Amino acid sequence: MSLRDAYHWPSRTPSRKGSAIKLNKTLRDHLDDLEYKFTVSTDLLKRVTERFVSELKKGLTTEPGDIPMVPTWVTSCPDGSETGSYLALDMGGTNLRICEVDVQGNGKFDIMQNKYRMPQALKTGTRDELFDYIATCVKKFVDENHPEGDKQLEIGFTFSYPCKQPSIDEAILIAWTKGFDIAGVEGESIVPMFNDALKRVGCNNVTLNAVLNDTTGTLVASNYTKPGTEAGVIFGTGCNACYIERFDEIPKLHGYNFPADMPMIINCEWCDFDNQHVVLPRTKYDLAIDADHPRPGLQTYEKMIAGCYMGDILRRILLDLHEQGILFAGQNVTKLRDPLAMDTSVLSMIEVDPFENLDETQQLLENTYGLTTTEEERHLIRRVCELIGTRAARLSACGVCAIVLKTKKQSLMVGTDGSVYNKYPHFKERLEAAFREILGEEIGSKVITTPAEDGSGVGAALVSALQAKGKALTKDILRSRVKN
Ligand code: BGC
């Protein structure tokens, strides 16, 4: 599970679904309406996937489109011969992790790590505060573990926000996601900010040699332990995927004259899929989330499927039902009005409530929000959670299937990580059912997601190791290529 994930997930296995829901006519009518709006039919799944394929293709050209298809400059997966000790820095939404990974070859590694809480205020503070905090944590780790201070250490930085990557050692932030909103970073190169901060805090023996996305780390780390893995996906607070493409399939890079069959990991950065609003079935709740977001109009796909938003979708539905006089009549809903009041773990807990009368749901609503409910209202709420969770899983499947179709594969092994995948009840089953609906039994059942080895740590170390072997292309290497 990615350490970025903020939520305190319930650890029980999910219960079976509640008995057939008996509701009074008013509740039933409202639920029917929500069922209609949140259900993604097989036909719609296929249409979304078809559009997705065309957007993936467009992103590989110079034509403007929603999905940037970022070349990572990682041109090989590990072949088992990689060895050495590398530092890795993982800047997640909740935690900051510094690791030292001893890559031992043949799928083996040892990892030592320190985790630091990412203060909430930093997410909307200044850029120097953010980078000074990161650099101070790196220095602390290095001082503790390398007190001799004379060894030059190389660090791979897993920065899991959408970036343009001119080379493996450069990254320009496109837009903040996952609740970050810090001025002066979007459109800028983050590497000098990191290096300057290292200097400011007096950490002089660390050199950044690779910047990568968590999906890239997930693919590389999964491929190291499970050779044959060709895609890396995160279904967590944010959502994204990468996969291995052939160089001749990336028209926007043809000027570099690399061999046609040279592999290149492409970070799709698919959270912006359908920003043109052509195919995704957005409800009024999705529209409201978008309107209230610091980046309205962006990250359309992510806002419907990622852990960062599923709680807020539920919160808005509950408030809407209250305002229509359907739920919490005469009660004080102030707590529910706080935009941060509900995270995805709430849906998760409600979906696994083991009691017929949904007593745990009652406790949760009462203790956290001061709200009381009847049993049938709780059954309606649980069904709403299932609708949100199922829609997220089914729409998530479209992106993965689009990669399968784009690459014309008959099967795909997907290294997968993220709190929603690892912890949200039934997510994996719902996802895999949708693979089969979209691709048919034969191919759909051969799209296999497997929990990833720690991509953000081990993957960063492996990418550093690949860089050292010239298989992750630095700006110096790329400068030496003839660009038409
Ligand atoms: C970011 C991606 C990241 C994904 C999963 C998204 O919000 O844009 O870069 O890979 O979250 O962490």
Side-chain angles (χ1 to χ4, degrees):
M1 172 178 167
S2 160
L3 291 169
R4 95 160 24 81
D5 299 314
Y7 313 131
H8 304 289
W9 298 87
S11 56
R12 275 190 309 252
T13 46
S15 73
R16 57 165 191 74
K17 275 199 191 150
S19 47
I21 313 171
K22 292 193 194 75
L23 301 176
N24 68 43
K25 176 148 177 18
T26 317
L27 291 186
R28 168 55 58 199
D29 287 349
H30 280 83
L31 183 56
D32 284 350
D33 183 48
L34 289 165
E35 295 263 2
Y36 174 71
K37 291 185 172 130
F38 277 82
T39 300
V40 184
S41 67
T42 304
D43 179 56
L44 183 54
L45 282 179
K46 288 183 178 168
R47 277 190 286 128
V48 172
T49 307
E50 198 181 317
R51 172 89 189 161
F52 222 121
V53 174
S54 68
E55 287 294 314
L56 295 183
K57 286 185 182 158
K58 198 195 274 180
L60 294 171
T61 70
T62 48
E63 260 181 80
D66 286 341
I67 307 184
M69 302 296 273
V70 182
T72 63
W73 306 104
V74 179
T75 61
S76 165
C77 277
D79 61 13
S81 66
E82 296 72 15
T83 53
S85 189
Y86 298 90
L87 291 184
L89 163 63
D90 172 24
M91 179 185 149
T94 313
N95 297 312
L96 188 74
R97 218 161 40 110
I98 325 279
C99 321
E100 181 151 5
V101 186
D102 181 24
V103 180
Q104 297 159 346
N106 297 320
K108 300 201 191 79
F109 60 86
D110 238 2
I111 183 164
M112 175 171 79
Q113 60 174 310
N114 278 9
K115 194 159 92 174
Y116 306 90
R117 173 65 68 190
M118 182 76 101
Q120 183 66 23
L122 276 188
K123 294 186 182 184
T124 49
T126 69
R127 79 181 197 187
D128 282 357
E129 280 163 1
L130 173 71
F131 282 95
D132 282 357
Y133 180 76
I134 297 173
T136 306
C137 294
V138 172
K139 181 165 163 44
K140 227 185 263 172
F141 183 90
V142 169
D143 288 350
E144 271 167 35
N145 296 294
H146 294 276
E148 66 291 359
D150 52 358
K151 192 169 159 204
Q152 269 303 313
L153 302 161
E154 294 183 329
I155 195 161
F157 186 178
T158 306
F159 184 75
S160 306
Y161 304 86
C163 288
K164 287 187 206 150
Q165 266 207 268
S167 60
I168 188 65
D169 45 356
E170 282 182 287
I172 298 163
L173 179 67
I174 300 172
W176 283 116
T177 57
K178 296 184 278 202
F180 277 77
D181 189 15
I182 301 172
V185 190
E186 286 172 331
E188 302 291 330
S189 178
I190 60 150
V191 175
M193 294 180 206
F194 175 65
N195 285 337
D196 290 350
L198 285 178
K199 276 194 210 121
R200 278 199 296 274
V201 304
C203 185
N204 298 318
N205 54 341
V206 171
T207 318
L208 181 141
N209 65 343
V211 190
L212 61 149
N213 185 258
D214 49 1
T215 56
T216 311
T218 296
L219 167 52
V220 172
S222 297
N223 184 287
Y224 182 61
T225 52
K226 291 180 206 81
T229 303
E230 289 188 278
V233 181
I234 306 285
F235 298 119
T237 309
C239 179
N240 187 22
C242 72
Y243 72 102
I244 303 174
E245 188 53 279
R246 282 169 56 100
F247 184 71
D248 60 354
E249 289 285 317
I250 317 172
K252 65 184 177 186
L253 298 187
H254 283 177
Y256 283 101
N257 296 317
F258 285 115
D261 62 350
M262 187 175 92
M264 166 83 83
I265 298 178
I266 295 289
N267 167 16
C268 303
E269 279 303 343
W270 70 20
C271 60
D272 282 310
F273 169 64
D274 207 33
N275 279 352
Q276 305 304 314
H277 310 318
V278 174
V279 74
L280 287 176
R282 299 201 303 162
T283 64
K284 65 176 178 183
Y285 310 105
D286 302 304
L287 299 181
I289 285 184
D290 187 43
D292 292 345
H293 193 268
R295 306 283 176 285
L298 298 185
Q299 300 144 25
T300 303
Y301 186 50
E302 180 159 282
K303 286 171 183 163
M304 296 176 79
I305 63 173
C308 196
Y309 302 100
M310 283 155 71
D312 200 25
I313 299 174
L314 175 63
R315 184 186 74 84
R316 285 169 192 266
I317 295 176
L318 297 184
L319 272 178
D320 186 31
L321 292 176
H322 170 71
E323 269 142 29
Q324 294 181 57
I326 307 301
L327 286 182
F328 320 129
Q331 299 183 51
N332 180 350
V333 295
T334 312
K335 289 197 173 149
L336 216 48
R337 293 202 188 280
D338 172 1
L340 298 177
M342 213 167 250
D343 67 42
T344 301
S345 63
V346 171
L347 282 85
S348 200
M349 285 184 240
I350 296 176
E351 279 219 42
V352 297
D353 188 337
F355 298 108
E356 283 304 314
N357 65 355
L358 301 181
D359 187 55
E360 289 200 349
T361 303
Q362 173 54 34
Q363 303 299 326
L364 173 82
L365 293 171
E366 205 164 321
N367 298 340
T368 318
Y369 307 102
L371 297 168
T372 55
T373 43
T374 64
E375 187 178 329
E376 60 175 1
E377 287 167 351
R378 293 196 290 282
H379 279 289
L380 173 135
I381 293 171
R382 162 130 93 184
R383 182 64 193 140
V384 171
C385 294
E386 286 171 2
L387 288 172
I388 298 169
T390 305
R391 185 186 74 160
R394 289 172 72 75
L395 290 177
S396 296
C398 297
V400 178
C401 292
I403 292 177
V404 176
L405 293 170
K406 156 70 192 72
T407 52
K408 302 193 173 68
K409 289 191 182 303
Q410 302 299 304
S411 64
L412 185 66
M413 267 169 69
V414 187
T416 313
D417 205 353
S419 52
V420 173
Y421 175 78
N422 288 323
K423 296 286 179 184
Y424 194 94
H426 314 297
F427 184 85
K428 188 170 175 348
E429 294 79 1
R430 290 166 178 166
L431 184 76
E432 289 175 352
F435 290 162
R436 294 191 296 275
E437 282 175 56
I438 298 167
L439 300 172
E441 243 349 274
E442 173 70 19
I443 299 183
S445 58
K446 291 193 206 130
V447 179
I448 312 285
T449 62
T450 46
E453 296 293 338
D454 178 4
S456 304
V458 178
L462 286 164
V463 169
S464 288
L466 289 169
Q467 202 262 58
K469 287 168 85 179
K471 290 181 173 174
L473 307 180
T474 60
K475 51 179 171 300
D476 291 341
I477 296 182
L478 286 166
R479 246 186 242 128
S480 70
R481 304 286 315 180
V482 182
K483 199 170 175 215
N484 293 334

